[in-house]
């Protein structure tokens, strides 16, 4: 099975621009989660999508948004970029079973490194 | 909200055991996880433990969970230079994981 893929791998933008990142989950996985990784704040949860609906959301401003398509592929968008948005953005996919005793193992992609100048 | 704490650095000699520690505040996680991140790479799930267990062994890896103290540890036996990486503990439910800041493990030959 192919792993989680993220495109693009590297991106350079300037302040005020917007950006769209893409994530293709492992075949059969219905849940996609997004995380932001920075040296100062570490790994922070952005949001999770399951069956085209946002199921969980972290504490990020409304400039950060996402969506999921019927084939489970997901995109996240950041509008009005700020210098502090420079980070590695990781996406993870899982089968998506929620709760109970079943582990919902998340498989991570390699990330998109966004640099805002 | 949930907080997960880890020491930032650990240095060991090749062949020794490494113990990476983690404390967490939220007891509602069904599973607790250990992830590994090598330079320039995403996260790789190393092992996990169900919250009702005290210990889990998986080849060179041993996870200990002290629920009373909310303390989780990862022991790597016979540490090799290839184990040099950043290790994250994480808790949470469903598709939302809360990560510690990571422990950078340096293995000296």
């Amino acid at each position: 099975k192919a792993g989680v893929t993220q495109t693009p791998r590297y991106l350079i933008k300037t302040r005020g621009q917007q950006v769209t990142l893409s994530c293709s989950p492992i075949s059969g996985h219905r849940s996609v989660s997004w995380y932001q990784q920075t040296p100062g704040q570490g790994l922070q949860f952005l949001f999770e999508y399951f069956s085209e609906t946002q199921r969980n959301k972290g504490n990020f401003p409304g400039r950060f948004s996402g969506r999921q398509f019927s084939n489970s592929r997901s995109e996240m968008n950041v509008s009005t970029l700020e210098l502090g948005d420079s980070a590695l953005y990781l996406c993870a996919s899982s089968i998506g079973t929620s709760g109970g005793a079943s582990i919902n193992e998340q498989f991570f992609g390699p990330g998109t490194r966004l640099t805002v100048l | 909200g949930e907080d997960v704490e880890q020491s930032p650095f650990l240095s060991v000699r090749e062949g020794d055991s490494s113990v990476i520690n983690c404390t967490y505040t939220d007891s509602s996680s069904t599973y607790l996880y250990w992830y590994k991140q090598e330079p320039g790479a995403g996260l790789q799930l190393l092992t996990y433990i169900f919250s009702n267990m005290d210990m889990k062994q998986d080849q060179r890896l041993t996870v200990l969970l002290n629920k009373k103290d909310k303390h989780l540890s990862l022991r790597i036996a016979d540490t090799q230079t290839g184990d040099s990486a950043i290790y994250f503990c994480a808790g949470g439910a469903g598709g939302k994981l809360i990560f510690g800041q990571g422990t950078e493990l340096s293995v000296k030959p």
Side-chain angles (χ1 to χ4, degrees):
Chain A
K1 259 188 187 177
V4 178
T5 57
Q6 292 187 245
T7 56
R9 291 292 312 278
Y10 302 91
L11 206 48
I12 300 175
K13 292 285 188 179
T14 55
R15 276 182 300 173
Q17 287 187 308
Q18 74 158 15
V19 68
T20 299
L21 313 182
S22 180
C23 173
S24 292
I26 291 171
S27 177
H29 285 190
R30 294 168 65 193
S31 167
V32 173
S33 298
W34 288 89
Y35 296 85
Q36 181 196 62
Q37 185 175 26
T38 59
Q41 300 297 316
L43 275 155
Q44 293 188 287
F45 172 77
L46 279 155
F47 28 65
E48 180 206 5
Y49 285 86
F50 178 77
S51 292
E52 301 179 66
T53 302
Q54 189 180 83
R55 186 160 72 171
N56 274 300
K57 189 176 186 308
N59 295 325
F60 278 80
R63 299 186 296 107
F64 292 81
S65 63
R67 59 177 176 167
Q68 186 180 35
F69 302 95
S70 58
N71 62 358
S72 294
R73 189 176 71 85
S74 177
E75 289 180 347
M76 68 162 279
N77 184 276
V78 188
S79 62
T80 319
L81 283 165
E82 300 176 0
L83 295 179
D85 297 333
S86 294
L88 180 67
Y89 289 88
L90 293 164
C91 123
S93 79
S94 65
I95 290 172
T97 50
S98 61
S102 58
I103 182 173
N104 185 39
E105 181 178 350
Q106 293 193 31
F107 294 82
F108 282 79
T112 294
R113 184 161 297 282
L114 171 65
T115 301
V116 182
L117 302 176
Chain B
E2 172 152 23
D3 197 24
V4 181
E5 299 281 339
Q6 294 180 242
S7 299
F9 301 104
L10 177 65
S11 180
V12 299
R13 292 218 169 270
E14 193 173 19
D16 287 350
S17 291
S18 308
V19 180
I20 302 171
N21 295 299
C22 170
T23 57
Y24 58 95
T25 57
D26 187 351
S27 304
S28 65
S29 299
T30 305
Y31 288 91
L32 293 158
Y33 307 87
W34 284 102
Y35 281 86
K36 176 182 180 182
Q37 186 176 36
E38 295 180 270
L43 295 169
Q44 173 196 355
L45 179 65
L46 279 180
T47 187
Y48 59 90
I49 187 166
F50 188 49
S51 57
N52 282 351
M53 297 171 64
D54 298 322
M55 186 184 90
K56 179 182 178 184
Q57 188 147 4
D58 188 356
Q59 299 183 334
R60 290 191 300 124
L61 305 178
T62 303
V63 180
L64 295 177
L65 176 59
N66 181 326
K67 291 180 284 294
K68 175 174 164 291
D69 295 337
K70 296 184 182 176
H71 182 264
L72 181 73
S73 67
L74 173 70
R75 178 176 178 270
I76 305 172
D78 188 24
T79 313
Q80 302 298 305
T81 53
D83 294 324
S84 293
I86 301 177
Y87 292 80
F88 294 91
C89 67
K96 178 179 180 179
L97 291 178
I98 306 298
F99 287 88
Q101 293 280 46
T103 298
E104 183 175 350
L105 175 63
S106 172
V107 183
K108 297 185 184 338

